[in-house]
Structure formats: C-alpha cells, structure tokens
Amino acid sequence: MAEINIEKNSDYTSHLTRWTKVRAIINGEPTLKAIDLANVGVTGVAGSATGVSFLRPINPTNTSDYNRQRNINMINGARLYNTTVKTHSGLMGMLYRKPPIQAELPDSIAYIYDNVDGSGLSMAQQSRSVSSDVVTIGRDGLLVDMPRNDEGFQITQADVNDGFRASIQEYKAESIIDWHESVVNNVKALVLLVLCEQVEVFIVGSVNSREVKDRYKVYRLTDEGVTVQVFTEKTGKNKGLDESEQVPVLGSNNSKLTKIPFNFVGSKNNQSCVDSLPLEPIALVNIGHYQESANLASSSFQLSACQPWVASNTFAKTAEIKAKAGGSVELGEDSLIIVEAGGSFNYASPPPNPLSKEIQTGYRDQMLELGAQIITPNGGVETAEAAKLKHASNVSDLGVISENVSDAYTESIKAVCFFMGVEYKKEYTFRLNNEFFDMSLSADDAVKWVSVWQGGAYSKAELDAILVKGKAIGADVDLDKMNDAISEEQGLSVDFDEGEA
C-alpha cells in the first residue's frame, strides 16, 4: 500500500511563522528566550518552529564554545517591555466589558451554553479563547461535532433521546492545516477541510510511558453529503498513518448535511482565506525594542568596565613570560604591579554611547502611536472620546471581530439544532459586546437628543434606545410601562384654554 501523505495549505505554511512570532510575544519573555536558546543549542528548553528567532546571533558562523556562551549571555540579558500583551489585555477587556448576550434556547439544546464542548466549558468561556486568538493572529475555527453510537453509525433521534449531545469544538489556526472551496449549486462552499489534533497514546510494553501523535480529521463535501475520515500516526518506530473508513456525517434521523459543519472566524470576515494579524504591527515593533534591549545589555556588560593598560617594556616582557608558562597577570587590591621608572599604569573607559537607548525610546513611541496602549504616555487615562478618536482603527477592528465571533457562534448553534433535531429560529443567537466605551450622556446631550426627536427626526422608540444606551434611562426600566405612565401624566395636565368663549 502506498504511503499516505497529508499536505498543508500554502496559505497555512506562509502564515505559520508569523503566527508563532506573535503568539510568542503574547506568551512573554520566557517563551522568546526559550526559542532563541534552543536555536543556539541549549538543551532542556522548548524548541522552536523552523525559521523563528528573535535576537540576531553574534558571529553566527563561529561555532566555538566561547561564541556560543556569548550568545547565551546576550539572550539571557535581554528584557521584554511587553506592550503587545498590554494591548491584547486592553482589547479583550473592552470586548468583554459586558457579558455576551445569549438568546433563550429550547430545553433540548440549552445545555450548549453551560457545556459547549462536552468538557464542562461554557460558551462564554470558550468564546473568550476564540476572541483572544482572532484579536491576536486573526484566525480560529469552530467545529460542530456529534458522537457516534456503539455501532459506529451516526446517531439517530433515539440516541439523542438517550442523552447523546452535539458539541462545539474550538480549533486553533495551527490545527486548520488545509481547506478548499468550490462552487456547489452555484454557491461557493467548503468542500475539503483537514484538521490536525494531538492525541496522547500509551507506548506498548510500558506501564505509563506515553507519546503524542498527530491525528488528522478529513471532512469532504460530496454529492452524497458530508463525510469524515481519520488518519492517525502509527505508534512506536513505525512511519506513516493508519487510515480509518470514510463515513458519512449525518444529522438527526440520518438527514444528509449540505455543508461541512465548520465555521472559520477571522479578523476581517469568516471566509476560509487567512486574514491579517491584528497585533502583528505592534508585535514586530515590540521585537525590535526587545532586540535593542539585548544589544544594550550586551554592550554594557562588555564595554562598561574599565580596561587596564600598562606602558612598560619590562612589564610587557614579564607578562609574556608568564603567558608562555600558562600563567596570567593578576589585577586587584591584593596584587602588586611594578613598572620601571618612566613606565605607567592606567585605565581606559569607553565613551558613553546612547544610540541603543535612543532606538529603544523610538520603538516605544512607535508602539504608542500604533495604539498599543489606551493610556497617555504619562500614565493618565484618556477620556472615552479621546481614546475612540486616537485609537479608532483598533476599535473599528474590534467591532468587526465582535461581529465575526458572534456570527460564527450563531451559525454553530444552527448546526447544533440540525444535529439535535430542533427547528432553528433566527432569534437563536449568541452576541458579543460591541459597546467598548462608557456611553453616558451628559444633561446637555440628553436635551439635544430630545430636541431632535421633537423635531420629528426619528421615533420615540429610537429616542428611548439612545437614552438607555447613554444611561439616561436605566437598562432595567420597562419602556412600555414608562411611556404609558408618561401618557397618563400628560393627560392630567391642565388645559387653561378649556371653557373659553
């Protein structure tokens, strides 16, 4: 049998290194150092993806132990001013300043809010992970899955009645290794999807030794519907993949799927193409700042100490004799250095070099200009309006991400309904917050909005919505009752013209 080979999508391979770099910045200084230390051959640290590095090596062609130790010292001396992670935390805080809005679902699928993936994780918690990845690298995915019964077939309505449940599984960008779209019934559709998972298996002949293997789930959309096939790395020293049977993926009562139950989540849209990385511009400047910190620490260590020097023919001959004998000239408070008359002993210090520090300051200012922090450089918190104007790009991107994550979950709920035999209704939605700033209205603003309404620019319902959003009316106020009360109060007003002739 020919060896099975699973290729990765070209867009996947071209973006993998970029994803790795931004993720490493988010994970912090220890991750960056572990990657660079692994690159110079230090054992006992986590390895890195091919082609990923952060600090420029010293004399990269010099493989001596001395140069290797110089590189290790440089890496250990670098310090990360992690503005990227501060930006990420700020954006996530804005996105989840209010909890997601969860529509009321039928009892048969309401479990999905509290146990979205079968492990007890709530949908709100899972959405944080999804949103975090989309904010960071612009890509994630949600697969709606259904277990199989003991016979290996797709479950029936009877199985659902016995407790089988559909779940929504998150797949990171690195696990979505291939995809292909084609036109089906005059509509562009996903016809191939390859997902990679890591599974832990026990080694044969061992009590508790385990190894991690790759498992690939291949979904295909055919004329007969959707199928799935699983390929798993062979255990032990065997090479290649074990192949399972290609089986249909069916909904309740064995109904045929017309689309692969997977939703891409992106920073620009939810199509299969790879979107831009929202935090990459800041992360790249952050890496430059990190590199300069390494340069500054390395040069400070090597050059800040004074260099002793001796001008003496007699001393030079003595030092040469000691060197040939394997010794050295000692310096320090317990050592005596003798030079003949006319000779001299002194120290040379390097002139101050502020270049690296100036470069670091420039990088820091650049990160602030990129919207890296929603605070002013002096630490004062900006007003909401000033922050919105200064960081309009970030807020605009965040609004798109909020909509994309919300849409992906709503589509996933629709697939859950299909698997569970529940009729989907358009009100079955899951929406993330898209109000990123406090919208409190001043008294003057409220008067202006009321005046515009009185001028007939929009309806009373629209005015009420504005006043609720601006916190002029409490969010818990029943608007119908409030307006009825206003009408009654207006009806009790005195008509001074009544009864006049």
Side-chain angles (χ1 to χ4, degrees), residues 78-112:
R79 289 294 175 265
L80 177 65
Y81 180 80
N82 204 335
T83 307
T84 307
V85 79
K86 291 180 181 179
T87 305
H88 175 269
S89 298
L91 294 174
M92 288 297 294
M94 292 165 67
L95 192 58
Y96 283 88
R97 66 185 292 265
K98 295 181 180 179
I101 299 174
Q102 301 179 159
E104 186 175 350
L105 299 176
D107 291 343
S108 56
I109 61 171
Y111 71 89
I112 206 74

Side-chain angles (χ1 to χ4, degrees), residues 411-481:
E411 285 296 313
S412 297
I413 291 174
K414 186 184 297 185
V416 169
C417 288
F418 185 81
F419 278 116
M420 297 294 291
V422 174
E423 181 183 358
Y424 175 76
K425 297 181 180 179
K426 64 180 181 179
E427 57 264 28
Y428 297 166
T429 60
F430 178 88
R431 311 304 300 180
L432 296 189
N433 166 57
N434 60 6
E435 296 178 6
F436 308 127
F437 296 96
D438 191 345
M439 300 298 292
S440 297
L441 292 178
S442 66
D444 289 342
D445 288 335
V447 169
K448 289 176 183 177
W449 284 114
V450 172
S451 297
V452 174
W453 163 68
Q454 288 175 330
Y458 44 76
S459 69
K460 181 63 166 62
E462 290 171 311
L463 173 64
D464 289 345
I466 292 169
L467 296 178
V468 169
K469 188 174 182 180
K471 299 182 181 179
I473 298 175
D476 57 344
V477 172
D478 187 318
L479 296 178
D480 291 334
K481 290 182 179 178

Side-chain angles (χ1 to χ4, degrees), residues 104 279 330 364 493:
E104 186 175 350
L279 290 187
E330 296 179 353
R364 183 173 177 177
S493 61

Side-chain angles (χ1 to χ4, degrees), residues 37-347:
L37 288 171
N39 288 341
V40 298
V42 176
T43 58
V45 296
S48 68
T50 303
V52 175
S53 63
F54 296 95
L55 299 181
R56 294 178 287 267
I58 303 170
N59 299 330
T61 59
N62 185 339
T63 58
S64 67
D65 289 340
Y66 170 75
N67 191 61
R68 179 171 170 271
Q69 189 59 51
R70 283 190 67 194
N71 276 282
I72 292 173
N73 292 341
M74 178 191 68
I75 293 167
N76 287 331
R79 289 294 175 265
L80 177 65
Y81 180 80
N82 204 335
T83 307
T84 307
V85 79
K86 291 180 181 179
T87 305
H88 175 269
S89 298
L91 294 174
M92 288 297 294
M94 292 165 67
L95 192 58
Y96 283 88
R97 66 185 292 265
K98 295 181 180 179
I101 299 174
Q102 301 179 159
E104 186 175 350
L105 299 176
D107 291 343
S108 56
I109 61 171
Y111 71 89
I112 206 74
Y113 284 148
D114 296 323
N115 187 10
V116 69
D117 64 349
S119 69
L121 189 70
S122 72
M123 185 176 288
Q125 291 171 327
Q126 187 189 70
S127 75
R128 284 181 175 271
S129 176
V130 174
S131 301
S132 175
D133 269 32
V134 180
V135 166
T136 303
I137 64 170
R139 191 166 178 82
D140 206 275
L142 296 173
L143 174 74
V144 181
D145 201 7
M146 193 74 167
R148 295 182 177 276
N149 56 29
D150 294 338
E151 288 74 32
F153 298 109
Q154 189 67 30
I155 66 171
T156 63
Q157 188 62 48
D159 294 315
V160 172
N161 296 338
D162 286 340
F164 280 68
R165 296 289 181 263
S167 63
I168 302 175
Q169 307 292 330
E170 178 193 3
Y171 281 83
K172 303 291 186 183
E174 293 85 351
S175 296
I176 311 168
I177 67 170
D178 194 21
W179 58 92
H180 182 72
E181 290 184 325
S182 185
V183 176
V184 179
N185 296 326
N186 297 320
V187 177
K188 197 173 184 180
L190 185 67
V191 297
L192 173 70
L193 176 70
V194 183
L195 303 173
C196 180
E197 304 171 334
Q198 277 71 49
V199 293
E200 196 174 56
V201 297
F202 284 93
I203 298 174
V204 177
S206 171
V207 175
N208 62 346
S209 295
R210 299 178 293 277
E211 58 182 340
V212 177
K213 295 292 184 180
D214 285 336
R215 179 172 65 191
Y216 303 92
K217 298 173 74 172
V218 180
Y219 286 85
R220 300 180 179 91
L221 177 61
T222 68
D223 293 338
E224 287 73 37
V226 176
T227 66
V228 62
Q229 190 173 16
V230 179
F231 300 84
T232 308
E233 272 189 300
K234 295 180 179 178
T235 58
K237 297 181 180 179
N238 298 322
K239 300 294 182 181
L241 299 170
D242 285 325
E243 177 182 5
S244 76
E245 180 184 357
Q246 187 173 338
V247 296
V249 180
L250 303 172
S252 63
N253 293 321
N254 293 328
S255 51
K256 183 174 72 172
L257 268 70
T258 57
K259 61 172 289 187
I260 295 173
F262 185 84
N263 291 289
F264 291 93
V265 194
S267 60
K268 300 301 180 185
N269 55 59
N270 286 353
Q271 296 178 356
S272 62
C273 55
V274 179
D275 285 347
S276 58
L277 290 68
L279 290 187
E280 185 179 46
I282 296 172
L284 292 178
V285 178
N286 216 158
I287 291 171
H289 187 275
Y290 177 67
Q291 290 172 340
E292 286 305 323
S293 80
N295 295 341
L296 183 62
S298 180
S299 62
S300 174
F301 176 78
Q302 295 181 49
L303 302 176
S304 61
C306 293
Q307 172 64 51
W309 59 270
V310 176
S312 168
N313 290 333
T314 302
F315 186 83
K317 291 178 181 179
T318 302
E320 183 180 0
I321 293 171
K322 285 189 174 184
K324 289 181 178 179
S328 61
V329 177
E330 296 179 353
L331 297 175
E333 59 182 8
D334 296 329
S335 302
L336 180 64
I337 299 176
I338 302 175
V339 296
E340 79 279 8
S344 61
F345 176 89
N346 212 328
Y347 290 92

Side-chain angles (χ1 to χ4, degrees), residues 373-389:
Q373 295 175 315
I374 309 178
I375 57 172
T376 55
N378 63 9
V381 178
E382 294 178 337
T383 65
E385 192 61 34
K388 282 188 287 185
L389 293 174

